[in-house]
Amino acid sequence: MALCEEENSASTLSFMELAIQQANDALDNLEVPIGCVFVLDGKVISTGRNRTTETRNATRHAEMEAIDDLLKNWQDNGLSAMEIAGKFSKCDLYVTCEPCIMCASALSILGIRSVFYGCGNDKFGGCGSILSLHSQGKGFECTGGIMASEAVSLLRRFYEQGNPNAPKPHRPLQISK
Amino acid sequence: MTTMKKWEIIHIPVKPQISIMDPPCVDVVAAVIEPKLANTLIRRLNQTSPLENLTHVKRVRKISVEEAPQASFTTYANSGINSHLSSLMLSNIDGITGFSEEDSQTVFSFMKLALKLTNSGPQLENAAVIVDPSVRKIISSASDQTHSWHSPIDTSSIETRCIKHPAVVTSYQPDANGAAVVSDENKRLDTDVSCLYPWKWMEHQQNTGKTCYFHPLRHAALVAIELAAARDKHLYPGSGNMLDHSFQVNSLTSSIDSPAKKQKLDFSKDKNDSDLKACAHDSCFETERPYLCTGFDIYLVWEPCTMCAMALVHQRIRRIFYAFPNPNFGALGSVQRLQGEKSLNHHYAVFRVLLPEDVLDHAPS
């Protein structure tokens, strides 16, 4: 995985900027601040951010939100499964944090072309940190470290204010730096 | 598949079990050394060439070579610590050390229910039942919805049935029930178990009447989680934030004007105000509410794929029971073994339920 921030193209950074905006929106709504955008032919076709607190469903990650929108829109426009598979195979995902094992599997099932992510996810990461689902079976290209510091600082802000959705025996309010 | 006469529950451990007949092999180095040097050598070996998950140990046999007493020295690996750690991780979950007759009967009855949910036969579809074992109550149930996604979610159909011990489903009548409930217009193929063939969706034929969508990710476990979450919201409609009280206590220590607090109040206004107040005053109501699916079990006909297995980690499921292993993408022992990934923040116990022959015989194929 390439980790050279200065080599990232302007468009990569601008899409990641949009993903960060989504993460900010999550933070404003007391959700874990992770956001994403799906890009097809240089255009953003779907956005998503974490909604686990609101839905009380811990699987409602940013990627899953954006995927649901895409599937619905494409089918509303009369696209067949084969056409949708074709679209996914040309889609890129920009997400502020490395997709978890669940999301990485989902992205592989959908047959996405590539994933660009911000910070790594050393607890659940499915794109190299814990499992490497992007390089197994129907994998996808994966590039990490894009605007990682911005992604981390959002997460840090969230955990400093305390995760209201976490169970009781719980990380301290202030994270020592 | 299996030639069992009786139901049986098998614990699927966090590490593959080592067979006594066919133990794993490691390379061994033997050398002739000065006996006094053995301890130093072992220490140096563990420092300079450490083994992953293993340690060098000393096994010395004294032999007399010509005039001087010498020792043949062997270094090999000890994996004892590893299995100890694995068992510690889950030691507080019921069932690992065995099930009582009563608990076994409960497990079997819920598994029967899961089998019954597979409308087109247990071999052709996956189904999931989330259960609160403390009161033997069904929290949610679902079968694969990769072909029939009704959007948005219909929360009115959430079930909160109670199952009476030993079983509500005493008889297994797949034909009568199966035929009546099959709702989809597509002819199902043998390869429709979504966790077994996750890429099958690409061949899906469009529905003629656009009453529902298809969704490649709506595997039974994910749908059951979604329904359990919707039920939670329905039963405890108050604040969106779990353990609101402890959060507020924590907030007191931070600045009063913290943005977190302001946002929290704004967020609460979106919800039904009276419900919120009712909940805030009735504190025991809130304490009854479990965090996600903490303490709940899930019964699955097929061993879940990696996506579903990780979703069950996220939702904090306590125990997983499945009937058939998934040789293609099973993430709980067959291909991956997620229950053994130590880095994850939650670990469930996994069991396979072996079905007696007559249950399989009655299953439609």
Side-chain angles (χ1 to χ4, degrees):
Chain A
M1 270 167 283
L3 290 163
C4 316
E5 196 141 332
E6 48 289 342
E7 279 175 26
N8 294 318
S9 71
S11 70
T12 302
L13 291 175
S14 72
F15 289 133
M16 190 57 85
E17 193 81 57
L18 294 171
I20 297 265
Q21 272 177 30
Q22 288 293 314
N24 258 312
D25 184 46
L27 188 71
D28 289 345
N29 288 280
L30 293 182
E31 299 278 0
V32 177
I34 297 174
C36 74
V37 297
F38 277 84
V39 173
L40 176 66
D41 299 330
K43 278 191 217 120
V44 173
I45 51 165
S46 177
T47 62
R49 53 103 165 151
N50 200 297
R51 242 175 242 281
T52 53
T53 304
E54 179 196 328
T55 57
R56 299 182 200 176
N57 181 341
T59 70
R60 297 313 298 169
H61 292 181
E63 298 92 324
M64 297 304 225
E65 291 283 320
I67 288 166
D68 279 7
D69 273 0
L70 277 181
L71 283 166
K72 190 169 182 302
N73 289 342
W74 281 336
Q75 287 177 72
D76 281 342
N77 290 324
L79 264 65
S80 71
M82 210 199 278
E83 288 166 320
I84 287 173
K87 291 243 181 206
F88 272 123
S89 71
K90 289 184 243 151
C91 261
D92 301 326
L93 168 71
Y94 294 78
V95 58
T96 56
C97 183
E98 177 189 353
C100 76
I101 290 167
M102 172 188 74
C103 290
S105 303
L107 294 165
S108 163
I109 290 171
L110 297 174
I112 195 168
R113 183 173 69 183
S114 53
V115 170
F116 299 87
Y117 68 81
C119 57
N121 183 343
D122 60 1
K123 276 203 165 70
F124 317 115
C127 301
S129 291
I130 307 301
L131 297 181
S132 295
L133 297 158
H134 63 295
S135 58
Q136 290 168 12
K138 202 179 171 77
F140 45 85
E141 289 284 315
C142 207
T143 312
I146 298 151
M147 297 175 72
S149 53
E150 283 89 337
V152 168
S153 79
L154 277 172
L155 287 164
R156 189 166 286 147
R157 271 173 65 195
F158 177 77
Y159 288 110
E160 275 169 3
Q161 75 188 24
N163 179 359
N165 201 39
K168 230 169 202 167
H170 175 215
R171 52 180 76 74
L173 198 65
Q174 299 294 330
I175 294 170
S176 51
K177 286 178 186 171
Chain B
M1 196 144 294
T2 169
T3 52
M4 293 297 301
K5 290 249 161 59
K6 285 194 323 201
W7 291 82
E8 201 185 324
I9 308 169
I10 300 168
H11 177 226
I12 312 288
V14 296
K15 293 269 171 196
Q17 264 176 321
I18 294 163
S19 154
I20 298 162
M21 303 304 290
D22 185 25
C25 297
V26 283
D27 291 337
V28 161
V29 181
V32 177
I33 56 151
E34 179 65 40
K36 281 181 194 164
L37 293 175
N39 283 334
T40 317
L41 273 169
I42 288 293
R43 216 175 300 125
R44 287 299 297 274
L45 270 173
N46 278 320
Q47 282 165 0
T48 57
S49 48
L51 300 161
E52 198 186 341
N53 289 332
L54 305 166
T55 51
H56 294 280
V57 291
K58 181 179 72 171
R59 293 293 180 271
V60 180
R61 185 163 61 97
K62 283 194 177 164
I63 46 163
S64 217
V65 182
E66 293 171 12
E67 72 275 15
Q70 288 186 323
S72 101
F73 167 84
T74 326
T75 169
Y76 66 110
N78 181 4
S79 64
I81 358 142
N82 222 10
S83 52
H84 178 62
L85 267 181
S86 322
S87 57
L88 266 181
M89 208 154 70
L90 289 168
S91 56
N92 55 345
I93 298 180
D94 297 344
I96 290 171
T97 51
F99 288 82
S100 70
E101 182 56 30
E102 192 194 8
D103 289 343
S104 302
Q105 289 307 318
T106 310
V107 167
F108 302 150
S109 64
F110 282 123
M111 185 54 84
K112 277 183 206 163
L113 198 72
L115 289 163
K116 214 178 160 188
L117 281 171
T118 59
N119 299 321
S120 41
Q123 271 85 339
L124 305 182
E125 198 178 42
N126 205 353
V129 181
I130 296 178
V131 168
D132 179 351
S134 62
V135 287
R136 297 198 175 99
K137 194 173 180 182
I138 295 165
I139 299 299
S140 69
S141 60
S143 53
D144 281 342
Q145 283 188 6
T146 46
H147 295 261
S148 55
W149 172 34
H150 300 274
S151 176
I153 320 144
D154 180 13
T155 46
S156 62
S157 64
I158 299 158
E159 295 166 273
T160 48
R161 282 176 292 157
C162 237
I163 191 159
K164 282 191 192 110
H165 189 253
V168 153
V169 201
T170 44
S171 64
Y172 186 60
Q173 299 170 300
D175 288 325
N177 286 298
V181 197
V182 170
S183 58
D184 60 326
E185 41 284 275
N186 304 309
K187 277 273 171 253
R188 284 177 184 266
L189 302 164
D190 289 13
T191 52
D192 267 356
V193 180
S194 56
C195 284
L196 279 171
Y197 299 94
W199 285 280
K200 191 79 187 168
W201 69 273
M202 293 184 183
E203 297 158 34
H204 173 70
Q205 300 300 305
Q206 197 79 348
N207 290 329
T208 40
K210 274 177 131 191
T211 49
C212 58
Y213 300 84
F214 73 88
H215 195 309
L217 308 179
R218 289 185 71 80
H219 295 196
L222 286 190
V223 182
I225 287 172
E226 183 181 274
L227 292 174
R231 174 189 175 273
D232 183 18
K233 266 196 108 151
H234 178 75
L235 288 180
Y236 308 97
S239 66
N241 295 334
M242 178 61 183
L243 297 172
D244 229 4
H245 186 65
S246 69
F247 177 55
Q248 278 173 337
V249 170
N250 286 342
S251 307
L252 289 176
T253 60
S254 64
S255 150
I256 294 160
D257 292 325
S258 75
K261 196 153 189 182
K262 265 187 220 157
Q263 284 154 9
K264 195 180 91 50
L265 291 172
D266 290 343
F267 178 65
S268 306
K269 272 176 196 155
D270 297 341
K271 310 276 166 192
N272 189 323
D273 235 340
S274 60
D275 281 339
L276 186 74
K277 278 176 192 150
C279 257
H281 288 296
D282 190 0
S283 57
C284 65
F285 197 56
E286 272 294 306
T287 54
E288 274 171 30
R289 191 186 133 197
Y291 173 63
L292 303 174
C293 285
T294 302
F296 294 172
D297 298 338
I298 190 166
Y299 292 82
L300 289 159
V301 174
W302 289 90
E303 179 187 356
C305 67
T306 311
M307 176 182 72
C308 293
M310 190 59 202
L312 296 168
V313 172
H314 285 316
Q315 201 68 6
R316 305 290 203 278
I317 286 282
R318 179 165 156 268
R319 297 187 298 185
I320 299 176
F321 298 89
Y322 67 80
F324 306 127
N326 173 352
N328 300 354
F329 300 101
L332 302 179
S334 295
V335 181
Q336 312 266 13
R337 199 174 278 258
L338 236 56
Q339 66 268 44
E341 289 293 340
K342 290 193 194 112
S343 80
L344 304 181
N345 63 344
H346 172 76
H347 296 92
Y348 38 56
V350 180
F351 303 91
R352 183 178 167 196
V353 179
L354 295 183
L355 310 177
E357 229 166 38
D358 60 321
V359 169
L360 289 171
D361 289 346
H362 286 122
S365 50

